[in-house]
Amino acid sequence: MYQFHYQQGAAGKLDAFPHILEIYAKKNTAIQLQSFPQQVAKGLCIYFIQEGKFEWWVNGVHYFLFPGDTVLVLPGETIGNEKGLLELGSIYCLELNIKPLKQGELVPGVWSGLGQAECAAIGKLLHLKSTSVLSRMSDAGRILTSLFYEIHHLELAYVTRVNQLIDELIIAITRQLTRQCLPARDFSSIFMKLEDALRKDLSHQWTVEEMAAIAGMGTTLFTEKVKGFTGFTPINYLINIRISEATRLLKRRDISITDIALDTGFYSSQHFSTTFKKLTGYTPGEFRKNNTYTE
């Protein structure tokens, strides 16, 4: 195991990688107090447990960590040991200067080969993650080992190779996160999770790629599954959810129709009105007039 610790601005080897805030491989052979206090992550942090047993808190959740576990910490989340110490063992750490934009969209920067739609889907999945720990993820250890080798040895084309490995690591983590959250591959349960995610953020302009990513599928398979399960295309399925939520909100007279239109993801009140009448036979105003407050 290589042991080193590079920080941006303090190590020349990171000059070609302004997107890497910190990277280290550490073998901790003695417990030191105040060596790992709970702290707020500046960027996107990825930890990999190589050896030992660790007891960490990640964003307020308590975890026991074992070899092979990978820890994902988003910018602004907290991580550390409750007593401030780092237990015996070996860990890898990579902190990237990536800050998610509104709605969780990930914008890594020009160094990344990921496309805009891929970044949006990955960012949304990370934003919606239900756990910060990926169990027995050997791929992360393999990729980080290769990454550390490239930065440490600076061989031919190492800049390109390092950036490729970071992309590969982000993709592998996102896929593993999806598999771990949807272990049974039972589409009915996947479907319920997807609908829950959509309803929590209906104002977001969801794409088929983003919805497919949450389901852990490619867009073609996802579209076939949704059609088979609901009879609708993914977009029409989403529109039905928007209308369903809108009918609930229209019964509340304290919310304007324009606000309901925007909150449920329509571009304007006119777009909302046209779609609503097409699917229900009423304009939003007519529907509101005929329905009293029931909640």
Side-chain angles (χ1 to χ4, degrees):
M1 173 185 181
Y2 300 106
Q3 288 199 68
F4 59 81
H5 187 176
Y6 299 139
Q7 284 184 304
Q8 191 59 244
K13 288 195 174 185
L14 294 186
D15 287 349
F17 311 103
H19 46 289
I20 298 179
L21 295 176
E22 185 177 25
I23 183 169
Y24 63 78
K26 177 186 296 183
K27 185 176 181 67
N28 201 37
T29 57
I31 294 177
Q32 298 177 352
L33 299 178
Q34 298 306 315
S35 57
F36 196 54
Q38 295 195 53
Q39 54 198 308
V40 178
K42 295 178 182 176
L44 181 72
C45 297
I46 297 164
Y47 295 85
F48 179 77
I49 307 302
Q50 182 76 5
E51 297 175 329
K53 175 188 173 185
F54 296 86
E55 186 177 354
W56 292 356
W57 286 79
V58 184
N59 211 31
V61 180
H62 181 225
Y63 293 98
F64 285 105
L65 305 169
F66 300 93
D69 287 347
T70 299
V71 182
L72 176 68
V73 186
L74 301 182
E77 293 187 343
T78 58
I79 182 169
N81 178 275
E82 187 178 29
K83 298 176 182 176
L85 55 84
L86 185 63
E87 297 96 333
L88 302 179
S90 301
I91 59 174
Y92 294 158
C93 175
L94 171 66
E95 183 170 10
L96 299 170
N97 187 19
I98 298 178
K99 293 182 171 53
L101 299 179
K102 187 179 179 182
Q103 308 295 349
E105 182 179 354
L106 200 67
V107 183
V110 295
W111 59 268
S112 174
L114 294 170
Q116 184 176 356
E118 293 170 327
C119 288
I122 289 172
K124 180 61 66 178
L125 270 171
L126 299 184
H127 184 65
L128 294 170
K129 68 183 172 69
S130 58
T131 180
S132 296
V133 175
L134 305 170
S135 302
R136 295 184 293 279
M137 189 182 169
S138 58
D139 273 357
R142 174 185 58 78
I143 296 169
L144 282 166
T145 299
S146 299
L147 181 62
F148 294 165
Y149 177 90
E150 294 291 342
I151 290 180
H152 198 63
H153 291 84
L154 307 181
E155 293 183 355
L156 177 67
Y158 73 95
V159 173
T160 298
R161 184 63 181 138
V162 165
N163 291 337
Q164 288 174 339
L165 286 166
I166 295 175
D167 275 347
E168 184 181 347
L169 182 61
I170 291 173
I171 292 170
I173 286 175
T174 308
R175 287 183 176 180
Q176 179 70 16
L177 187 66
T178 303
R179 294 188 191 106
Q180 191 164 304
C181 293
L182 305 169
R185 308 297 293 172
D186 172 12
F187 192 69
S188 60
S189 63
I190 294 173
F191 204 77
M192 291 177 65
K193 180 179 176 66
L194 170 65
E195 183 160 331
D196 184 54
L198 298 177
R199 286 187 180 277
K200 285 180 179 176
D201 195 7
L202 274 181
S203 62
H204 177 65
Q205 296 305 310
W206 291 94
T207 65
V208 176
E209 288 79 10
E210 287 176 314
M211 291 189 281
I214 290 177
M217 301 176 186
T219 54
T220 301
L221 176 60
F222 174 72
T223 299
E224 291 177 357
K225 287 283 187 181
V226 172
K227 282 184 177 177
F229 200 74
T230 69
F232 297 114
T233 65
I235 293 300
N236 284 337
Y237 158 67
L238 175 60
I239 290 173
N240 275 280
I241 293 178
R242 295 191 195 283
I243 293 296
S244 170
E245 179 64 10
T247 57
R248 187 183 72 81
L249 294 175
L250 282 169
K251 295 174 183 176
R252 294 179 50 182
R253 297 182 183 276
D254 58 326
I255 308 177
S256 72
I257 290 178
T258 298
D259 284 345
I260 292 172
L262 299 178
D263 289 346
T264 53
F266 293 94
Y267 296 111
S268 64
S269 55
Q270 182 59 49
H271 177 217
F272 172 47
S273 181
T274 302
T275 307
F276 193 88
K277 184 166 186 176
K278 181 179 178 182
L279 293 181
T280 68
Y282 299 95
T283 66
E286 290 169 341
F287 180 87
R288 168 167 278 181
K289 185 177 179 180
N290 294 328
N291 288 272
T292 57
Y293 183 81
T294 59
E295 295 185 18

